[in-house]
């Protein structure tokens, strides 16, 4: 009797347990789901880590491959350069065998030998048409220019200071050394006013032009050429032109560019350039030739001191040109003189 009620008492107790189990199942399911999600996330993280590691490994492998390729290329280049310079397998030097180099050398030897021979032949033929003494073409300079000595565009000095004018005086002495009377006496006396033509003579004679002909401007009676007294001398000469034979009676004429004329004295008289000094035959055929000179003494007064004087000299009395505006030195020359007192 007692067992039956106990059984009855137990059954109602079991029913609540079932109810609690039923209530706990959704919670467990949720926990299990969360665990599964966490596990999945862990798996994903592990997979990502594995992938990144694999990528790193792949990148490292690629870097190693690139390094190996570069090293291999460098080695190949070294080997190719070595083989290009000298290949022991084929015996080639710089890409060619000894026989190939020999043929090339022989070809260029013959080729350049022929070119050299042709060049020498053309030069020899051209030289046969030239004269050693006279240029073949002389049409570019029909008229000569004039030159003034001392060689200066402006002659400026203080007459009381020898250091200022000594350079000018020295230039004149140097110019007239070859015109010394002792040297000129060995030259020939030529006919005054006549051309000294000697085309057929192998050795050309030289006409005398003595330094003493310049008198006050010869540097003999006055070694300072008048620079000390403030009346300086300048020397005008005509440039040499081979074969030149001026017509008429050429002479040098100088004028001062100012309102009043400037007094001057010419040596030789009237500034004449005698025909006997023409024609000139060149340095080879006429090595001792001396060209005629004209000395001009400027008679400056006290009023002319400390004032710049512009003087122009021209060759006149012949067919020589002296007024070409394109060439201001053709047949004329201009210089300036200023003497300080």
């Amino acid at each position: 009797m007692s067992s039956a009620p106990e059984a009855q008492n137990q059954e109602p107790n079991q029913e609540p347990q079932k109810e609690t189990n039923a209530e706990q199942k959704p919670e467990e399911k949720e926990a299990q789901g969360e665990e599964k999600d966490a596990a999945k996330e862990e798996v994903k993280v592990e997979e990502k880590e594995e992938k990144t590691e694999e990528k790193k490994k792949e990148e490292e492998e690629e870097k190693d491959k690139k390094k190996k390729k570069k090293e291999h290329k460098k080695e190949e280049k070294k080997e190719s350069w070595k083989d290009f310079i000298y290949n022991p397998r084929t015996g080639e030097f710089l890409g060619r065998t000894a026989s190939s180099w020999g043929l090339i050398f022989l070809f260029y030897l013959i080729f350049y030998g022929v070119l050299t021979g042709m060049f020498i032949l053309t030069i020899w033929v051209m030289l046969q048409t030239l004269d050693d003494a006279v240029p073949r073409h002389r049409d570019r300079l029909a008229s000569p220019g004039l030159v003034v000595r001392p060689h200066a565009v402006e002659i400026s000095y203080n007459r009381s200071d020898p250091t200022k004018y000594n350079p000018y005086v020295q230039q004149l002495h140097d110019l007239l050394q070859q015109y010394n009377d002792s040297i000129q006496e060995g030259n020939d006396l030529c006919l005054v006013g006549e051309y000294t033509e000697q085309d057929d003579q192998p050795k050309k004679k030289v006409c005398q032009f003595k330094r003493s002909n310049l008198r006050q401007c010869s540097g003999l009676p006055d070694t300072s050429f008048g620079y000390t007294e403030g009346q300086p001398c300048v020397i005008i000469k005509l440039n040499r032109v081979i074969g030149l034979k001026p017509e008429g009676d050429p002479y040098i004429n100088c004028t001062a560019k100012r309102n009043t004329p400037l007094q001057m004295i010419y040596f030789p008289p009237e500034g004449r350039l005698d025909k006997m000094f023409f024609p000139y035959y060149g340095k080879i055929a006429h090595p001792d030739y001396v060209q005629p000179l004209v000395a001009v003494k400027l008679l400056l007064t006290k009023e002319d001191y400390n004032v710049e004087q512009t003087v122009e000299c021209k060759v006149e009395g012949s067919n020589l040109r002296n007024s070409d505006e394109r060439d201001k030195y053709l047949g004329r020359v201009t210089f300036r003189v200023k003497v300080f007192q």
Side-chain angles (χ1 to χ4, degrees), residues 61-320:
E61 288 177 357
E62 287 180 358
K63 288 180 180 179
D64 293 336
K65 286 180 181 179
K66 287 180 180 179
K67 287 181 180 180
K68 289 179 180 179
K69 285 182 180 179
K70 287 181 180 179
E71 291 175 356
H72 183 66
K73 286 181 179 179
K74 287 180 180 179
E75 290 177 358
E76 284 183 350
K77 285 181 179 179
K78 289 180 180 178
E79 290 178 358
S80 63
W81 274 106
K82 289 179 181 178
D83 291 340
F84 177 73
I85 295 172
Y86 178 70
N87 192 333
R89 296 185 301 275
T90 58
E92 292 180 350
F93 176 72
L94 296 178
R96 294 184 180 276
T97 60
S99 60
S100 177
W101 279 114
L103 291 173
I104 290 174
F105 179 75
L106 181 63
F107 168 77
Y108 281 106
L109 182 65
I110 296 171
F111 177 71
Y112 285 110
V114 172
L115 287 181
T116 304
M118 292 177 64
F119 177 75
I120 293 172
L121 180 63
T122 54
I123 293 296
W124 180 81
V125 171
M126 184 186 69
L127 291 176
Q128 300 309 305
T129 63
L130 301 178
D131 190 343
D132 293 337
V134 181
R136 184 174 183 179
H137 299 287
R138 292 175 289 150
D139 54 347
R140 293 185 62 184
L141 188 63
S143 295
L146 290 184
V147 179
V148 62
R149 293 292 184 270
H151 187 67
V153 177
E154 182 176 358
I155 302 171
S156 178
Y157 70 95
N158 191 325
R159 68 175 188 151
S160 60
D161 186 359
T163 59
K164 299 297 183 180
Y165 60 78
N166 278 341
Y168 302 133
V169 173
Q170 188 60 45
Q171 284 190 45
L172 296 177
H173 279 296
D174 293 340
L175 172 65
L176 296 176
Q177 284 298 317
Q178 61 179 332
Y179 292 90
N180 286 336
D181 292 4
S182 58
I183 297 175
Q184 291 299 314
E185 285 175 358
N187 295 334
D188 296 316
L189 289 171
C190 302
L191 294 175
V192 176
E194 299 290 336
Y195 295 123
T196 307
E197 296 183 285
Q198 40 192 338
D199 297 340
D200 299 331
Q201 299 178 13
K203 186 177 180 180
K204 313 300 182 184
K205 64 180 181 180
V206 180
C207 298
Q208 288 185 10
F209 190 98
K210 292 183 178 181
R211 180 174 181 171
S212 56
N213 293 339
L214 300 180
R215 298 183 184 177
Q216 297 179 33
C217 291
S218 64
L220 299 176
D222 179 10
T223 56
S224 71
F225 294 92
Y227 282 78
T228 303
E229 60 183 351
Q231 295 183 338
C233 291
V234 295
I235 294 178
I236 310 296
K237 64 177 182 176
L238 199 66
N239 287 335
R240 300 179 183 185
V241 176
I242 295 176
L244 177 68
K245 293 192 292 184
E247 297 176 0
D249 189 10
Y251 65 93
I252 299 296
N253 182 40
C254 299
T255 55
K257 294 183 178 181
R258 65 181 195 177
N259 295 329
T260 58
L262 177 63
Q263 296 298 318
M264 307 178 195
I265 303 177
Y266 297 92
F267 306 101
E270 300 177 358
R272 294 182 65 253
L273 296 168
D274 202 285
K275 288 183 179 180
M276 66 179 173
F277 297 101
F278 302 96
Y280 168 60
Y281 289 94
K283 287 184 178 181
I284 295 177
H286 223 164
D288 299 324
Y289 174 81
V290 289
Q291 58 207 109
L293 305 175
V294 173
V296 182
K297 188 175 181 64
L298 306 177
L299 302 179
L300 301 178
T301 62
K302 292 182 179 180
E303 290 76 14
D304 299 325
Y305 294 153
N306 305 318
V307 179
E308 185 177 83
Q309 309 293 333
T310 301
V311 181
E312 183 182 49
C313 297
K314 294 183 178 181
V315 57
E316 297 182 356
S318 69
N319 62 334
L320 300 179

